[in-house]
Amino acid sequence: MITSTDLAYMAEAVQLAKRGQYTTTPNPNVGCVIVKNQQIIGKGWHKKAGTGHAEVNALANLTKAASSGATAYVTLEPCSHYGRTPPCALRLVEAGVSRVVVGMLDTNPQVSGNGIKILEEAGIEVEVGVLEAECRALNPGFFSIMERQRPFVQIKLAASLDGKTALHNGESKWITGPAARADVQTYRAKASAILTSASTVLQDDASMNVRQEQLNFNYPLDETNTNIRQPHVVVLDGRARLKPEVATSLKLFNTGAHVILIQNKNSEYSEQAFSEKGFDQVTVEKLEYDPTSGFDLNDVMSVCTQLQFNTVWVEAGGRLAASFIHEKIADELIVYIAPKIMGQGGFDVIPLGPFSEMNQTVSLTTKDMRQVGEDIRLTYTLSNKND
Amino acid sequence: MITSTDLAYMAEAVQLAKRGQYTTTPNPNVGCVIVKNQQIIGKGWHKKAGTGHAEVNALANLTKAASSGATAYVTLEPCSHYGRTPPCALRLVEAGVSRVVVGMLDTNPQVSGNGIKILEEAGIEVEVGVLEAECRALNPGFFSIMERQRPFVQIKLAASLDGKTALHNGESKWITGPAARADVQTYRAKASAILTSASTVLQDDASMNVRQEQLNFNYPLDETNTNIRQPHVVVLDGRARLKPEVATSLKLFNTGAHVILIQNKNSEYSEQAFSEKGFDQVTVEKLEYDPTSGFDLNDVMSVCTQLQFNTVWVEAGGRLAASFIHEKIADELIVYIAPKIMGQGGFDVIPLGPFSEMNQTVSLTTKDMRQVGEDIRLTYTLSNKND
């Protein structure tokens, strides 16, 4: 039976899981709390692929005598397979816990239920499905890859109240204020990869990196590694404009981030060419490219999936955003609305259409709204072909 | 000395004042609480021009023995002049109160301080300036007329997330949802007058009236008059298209509202022509009109001021909204953003500009944001020439 106390401990486990949100990719965020005699005796969360899972970390400082008879709360079904670490389900059995409360089952059909089975066969009482929505929300990208074989795609846009991203002559700096720009940093930091276009990189000399000092942490970073992870940066570069010889002068190539250049099949540039210029962190992927319609974004998503990019944060111009929406592979729109009227003739924030009937327009679902400095951040979800 | 108890009683008076918000125009909303021995013994608010002021209503059921020695809390300085009712300051003296706490002074320079003077000369202890901002916010229109000799102008707009009000072919019904449309009703009901254009009236057969069943009251209406007041409707009709003979077929002329048609100087139509068709509630005002630039909105505001329209709610197309903003006579923008992408080529929500430099764009200040059904309502304030 699930009690309100169970909910409270699971809520604590959810909070712990979030501490890994900037570092665990491609692994999921998982939190764990060990409780005995109404006291929390162990806390853990997964920090980084290759290091201890949440359950292992929560039990790390407990003797078997201490954990024996305890209840473990874990946001995701304990794993049952031998990977880089032994299965967590076995670790819980070994620790002698008498009850395990699980937020949600693993959604990978190949392993779903196996962790529970190990626990139950050891005579442990198991409850599944506590704060399930909250537990699921910890890992939209991880579950997207598991369930849809493609990343969770978030699109960032910034516009004036009248839906413009630039004046008719291209002038645009700065639409949003410093608080909104700092807020963008937290999304970048959470994403497995940032996806942008060669135009954005060349026009703005965008570094697309995460500046740790702009992130608001309300909990300590992993003590063993205080440097924030730099997300991978995927650049759509159909015309192969980001040549090895210009890399030196571009911030993008000088932040230490892994850059994935997606170029057309005929591009003459190779990873070796970048390596020879001193850029070892560049991957070149070559895909079919049509000068009019660009890349097939489904191909681009396949590259991201192969690279285990759970969450992709798209930060480019309105045209690319419109393509993602048109192709129905965008999951969330995050739109910063600046308190400005930029006037007619400017660049449209989402140049879809033109449409001739209202039923051709794109419907969104409002998920969240809040004020960020002087700007407003609106978050919408989109229904799409994989739902 | 002002105490926290004073703040609490004044907050009660502010709440009472709001009960008149749909009916008092052109008078201000005022609330009053009479307190004796830490008990509220009288409550009143102003309901309607020509009926009792807040203080008179609060004292109505109290004998002199009851009110003697009490404290009166009133959101606005008690009046000192003989109008349709005797001065409230004298009424308070007559009631024998020993202390009066006043939210804010009357801002009319001709009378400001006179009410206080009457009270003080009668030996009553007076405190001024308690919850002043809240008291002021009760009457933006009343104070605008007093201080700037023009109405407080609110502009309503509805657009998609990408800043469009219609598709390229004019198709637009419905952008926002039923909750937003009901929300608009409360703004209409609070306004002294609604200002619109002949195009809006003809295109949409807009009635611009208030439908009482769509208003959310969390307090009883004036018991003596359960019918809601219909705001006046001002229609900019430069080309005199709202002829007496078409009035019969238009909802606008059939709701019982007073309609003020603003036509060009050469218009052949008169109030008598409307009256002959059975429309007694039509006023025709003739102003200079330029077929290209339209009316001078300052002239239009003068008409509204003469008619004692404290608050004007502008509900028309984006072009008129843009003119008000351009002329710097808009005080608030209320924008409903629908969760839709309407696409390029559509009608811009605020067709200002085009601008060539960012410093030409219009800066707004975010005042409020909230979700209204599926839509989002953003409220902005504009700085303008009368500030």
Side-chain angles (χ1 to χ4, degrees):
Chain A
M1 209 191 71
I2 294 163
T3 67
S4 60
T5 318
D6 289 333
L7 299 183
Y9 288 127
M10 187 60 80
E12 176 72 23
V14 167
Q15 290 310 312
L16 288 169
K18 288 181 185 170
R19 298 196 182 190
Q21 66 188 331
Y22 296 121
T23 47
T24 60
T25 183
N27 281 1
N29 296 305
V30 184
C32 178
V33 172
I34 311 291
V35 176
K36 195 167 165 182
N37 301 326
Q38 287 95 56
Q39 294 235 316
I40 294 180
I41 57 170
K43 289 182 180 187
W45 65 94
H46 183 48
K47 295 173 182 173
K48 210 170 169 175
T51 73
H53 286 189
E55 302 88 325
V56 172
N57 291 338
L59 291 166
N61 297 322
L62 300 178
T63 60
K64 178 151 186 179
S67 58
S68 187
T71 297
Y73 295 84
V74 54
T75 56
L76 183 63
E77 181 181 2
C79 66
S80 54
H81 59 281
Y82 284 87
R84 280 187 271 196
T85 52
C88 292
L90 281 186
R91 180 70 187 89
L92 289 166
V93 171
E94 192 187 288
V97 302
S98 58
R99 184 166 178 254
V100 177
V101 181
V102 172
M104 64 179 287
L105 288 181
D106 195 320
T107 60
N108 180 342
Q110 311 231 283
V111 300
S112 181
N114 293 354
I116 305 299
K117 206 170 151 202
I118 291 175
L119 297 171
E120 286 181 337
E121 284 176 354
I124 294 172
E125 183 191 342
V126 181
E127 301 280 3
V128 178
V130 175
L131 298 187
E132 197 160 349
E134 288 77 3
C135 290
R136 197 176 160 81
L138 290 169
N139 298 299
F142 180 78
F143 297 129
S144 177
I145 293 272
M146 285 289 169
E147 297 164 19
R148 310 186 297 181
Q149 293 77 51
R150 73 155 176 87
F152 184 77
V153 176
Q154 295 178 297
I155 297 183
K156 179 252 174 179
L157 292 164
S160 58
L161 174 62
D162 54 337
K164 307 297 180 194
T165 59
L167 302 180
H168 65 92
N169 55 9
E171 175 67 29
S172 73
K173 286 208 169 170
W174 295 96
I175 296 177
T176 52
R181 296 201 298 275
D183 192 56
V184 165
Q185 291 279 320
T186 66
Y187 284 99
R188 286 185 184 171
K190 287 177 196 170
S192 310
I194 296 164
L195 188 145
T196 189
S197 67
S199 308
T200 299
V201 171
L202 289 168
Q203 267 170 39
D204 306 340
D205 192 11
S207 66
M208 294 295 172
N209 69 335
V210 173
R211 292 174 280 277
Q212 188 162 334
E213 67 280 9
Q214 289 202 23
L215 298 178
N216 271 324
F217 289 106
N218 47 13
Y219 49 82
L221 275 173
D222 180 348
E223 306 77 13
T224 60
N225 179 6
T226 54
N227 287 323
I228 196 76
R229 174 188 64 92
Q230 286 298 337
H232 305 264
V233 182
V234 179
V235 187
L236 302 189
D237 185 20
R239 288 183 277 152
R241 290 187 288 163
L242 300 187
K243 308 176 202 301
E245 49 271 35
V246 304
T248 318
S249 63
L250 290 171
K251 284 184 194 150
L252 175 68
F253 294 92
N254 294 285
T255 63
H258 172 210
V259 176
I260 301 94
L261 295 178
I262 302 201
Q263 301 189 332
N264 69 73
K265 292 251 179 202
N266 304 321
S267 160
E268 60 187 290
Y269 305 110
S270 63
E271 282 155 29
Q272 204 192 326
F274 282 92
S275 183
E276 279 164 11
K277 293 276 176 189
F279 300 105
D280 291 327
Q281 296 253 74
V282 175
T283 299
V284 179
E285 292 279 347
K286 296 184 184 175
L287 297 179
E288 291 294 343
Y289 176 77
D290 179 298
T292 308
S293 61
F295 290 109
D296 181 333
L297 292 177
N298 293 295
D299 295 345
V300 174
M301 288 299 98
S302 295
V303 169
C304 291
T305 304
Q306 278 159 30
L307 290 167
Q308 294 191 289
F309 296 164
N310 297 337
T311 309
V312 172
W313 172 253
V314 180
E315 194 174 332
R319 284 237 315 275
L320 187 58
S323 298
F324 268 98
I325 295 166
H326 182 72
E327 295 295 330
K328 297 194 186 299
I329 40 180
D331 297 299
E332 266 184 19
L333 267 188
I334 288 104
V335 188
Y336 297 88
I337 305 272
K340 276 191 181 66
I341 302 168
M342 288 175 70
Q344 52 193 336
F347 286 53
D348 274 344
V349 58
I350 310 167
L352 281 167
F355 303 124
S356 296
E357 290 177 31
M358 284 297 275
N359 64 17
Q360 299 172 310
T361 65
V362 178
S363 289
L364 310 165
T365 304
T366 309
K367 184 184 174 189
D368 183 66
M369 59 184 299
R370 60 191 64 190
Q371 193 158 350
V372 179
E374 311 229 306
D375 303 308
I376 282 163
R377 186 186 75 205
L378 303 176
T379 305
Y380 295 98
T381 53
L382 294 99
S383 59
N384 60 54
K385 66 177 179 185
N386 295 103
D387 290 338
Chain B
M1 210 191 72
I2 294 163
T3 66
S4 60
T5 318
D6 290 333
L7 299 183
Y9 288 127
M10 186 60 78
E12 177 72 23
V14 168
Q15 290 309 311
L16 288 168
K18 288 181 185 169
R19 297 196 182 190
Q21 65 187 333
Y22 296 121
T23 47
T24 61
T25 183
N27 282 1
N29 297 306
V30 185
C32 179
V33 172
I34 312 290
V35 176
K36 195 168 164 182
N37 301 327
Q38 287 95 54
Q39 292 235 316
I40 294 180
I41 58 171
K43 289 182 182 188
W45 65 94
H46 183 49
K47 294 174 181 173
K48 210 170 167 175
T51 73
H53 285 190
E55 302 89 325
V56 171
N57 291 340
L59 290 165
N61 296 322
L62 299 179
T63 61
K64 179 152 185 181
S67 57
S68 187
T71 297
Y73 294 85
V74 54
T75 56
L76 183 63
E77 181 180 3
C79 67
S80 56
H81 58 281
Y82 285 86
R84 281 186 271 197
T85 52
C88 291
L90 282 184
R91 181 69 186 89
L92 288 167
V93 171
E94 193 186 289
V97 302
S98 58
R99 184 167 179 254
V100 177
V101 180
V102 173
M104 63 179 287
L105 287 180
D106 196 319
T107 60
N108 180 342
Q110 311 231 285
V111 300
S112 180
N114 292 354
I116 306 298
K117 207 170 151 200
I118 292 174
L119 296 172
E120 285 181 339
E121 283 175 355
I124 293 172
E125 182 192 342
V126 182
E127 301 280 3
V128 178
V130 175
L131 297 187
E132 197 160 349
E134 288 77 4
C135 290
R136 196 175 162 83
L138 289 169
N139 297 298
F142 179 78
F143 297 129
S144 177
I145 292 274
M146 284 291 169
E147 297 165 20
R148 310 186 297 182
Q149 293 77 50
R150 72 154 176 88
F152 183 78
V153 176
Q154 295 177 297
I155 297 184
K156 178 253 175 181
L157 292 164
S160 58
L161 174 62
D162 54 337
K164 307 297 180 193
T165 60
L167 302 181
H168 65 93
N169 55 9
E171 175 69 28
S172 72
K173 283 204 170 174
W174 295 95
I175 295 177
T176 53
R181 297 200 297 274
D183 193 56
V184 165
Q185 292 278 319
T186 66
Y187 284 99
R188 286 185 184 172
K190 287 178 196 170
S192 309
I194 296 164
L195 189 145
T196 189
S197 68
S199 308
T200 300
V201 171
L202 289 168
Q203 267 170 38
D204 307 340
D205 192 12
S207 66
M208 293 296 170
N209 70 337
V210 173
R211 291 174 281 276
Q212 188 162 334
E213 67 279 9
Q214 289 204 21
L215 298 178
N216 271 324
F217 290 106
N218 47 13
Y219 49 81
L221 274 174
D222 180 348
E223 307 76 14
T224 61
N225 179 6
T226 53
N227 287 324
I228 197 75
R229 172 189 64 91
Q230 286 298 336
H232 304 265
V233 182
V234 179
V235 187
L236 301 189
D237 184 19
R239 288 183 277 155
R241 289 187 288 164
L242 301 187
K243 307 176 201 302
E245 49 270 36
V246 304
T248 317
S249 64
L250 289 171
K251 285 185 194 149
L252 174 69
F253 293 93
N254 294 286
T255 63
H258 172 210
V259 176
I260 300 94
L261 294 178
I262 302 202
Q263 300 188 333
N264 69 72
K265 292 252 178 203
N266 303 321
S267 159
E268 61 188 288
Y269 305 110
S270 62
E271 281 154 29
Q272 205 193 326
F274 283 92
S275 183
E276 280 164 10
K277 293 277 175 188
F279 300 104
D280 290 327
Q281 296 253 74
V282 175
T283 298
V284 179
E285 292 280 346
K286 296 183 183 175
L287 297 180
E288 291 294 343
Y289 176 77
D290 180 298
T292 310
S293 61
F295 291 108
D296 182 334
L297 293 178
N298 293 295
D299 295 347
V300 175
M301 288 299 98
S302 294
V303 170
C304 291
T305 304
Q306 278 159 28
L307 291 167
Q308 294 192 288
F309 297 163
N310 297 337
T311 309
V312 172
W313 172 254
V314 180
E315 195 174 332
R319 285 237 314 275
L320 187 58
S323 298
F324 269 98
I325 295 167
H326 181 73
E327 295 296 329
K328 297 193 185 299
I329 41 182
D331 297 300
E332 267 183 19
L333 267 189
I334 289 103
V335 188
Y336 297 88
I337 306 274
K340 276 192 180 68
I341 302 169
M342 289 176 70
Q344 53 193 336
F347 285 54
D348 273 343
V349 59
I350 309 166
L352 282 167
F355 302 124
S356 296
E357 289 176 32
M358 285 297 275
N359 64 16
Q360 298 172 311
T361 65
V362 178
S363 289
L364 310 165
T365 304
T366 309
K367 184 184 175 189
D368 184 65
M369 59 184 298
R370 62 190 64 190
Q371 193 158 350
V372 179
E374 311 229 305
D375 303 308
I376 282 163
R377 186 185 77 204
L378 302 178
T379 306
Y380 294 98
T381 54
L382 294 97
S383 59
N384 60 54
K385 66 178 179 187
N386 296 103
D387 290 337

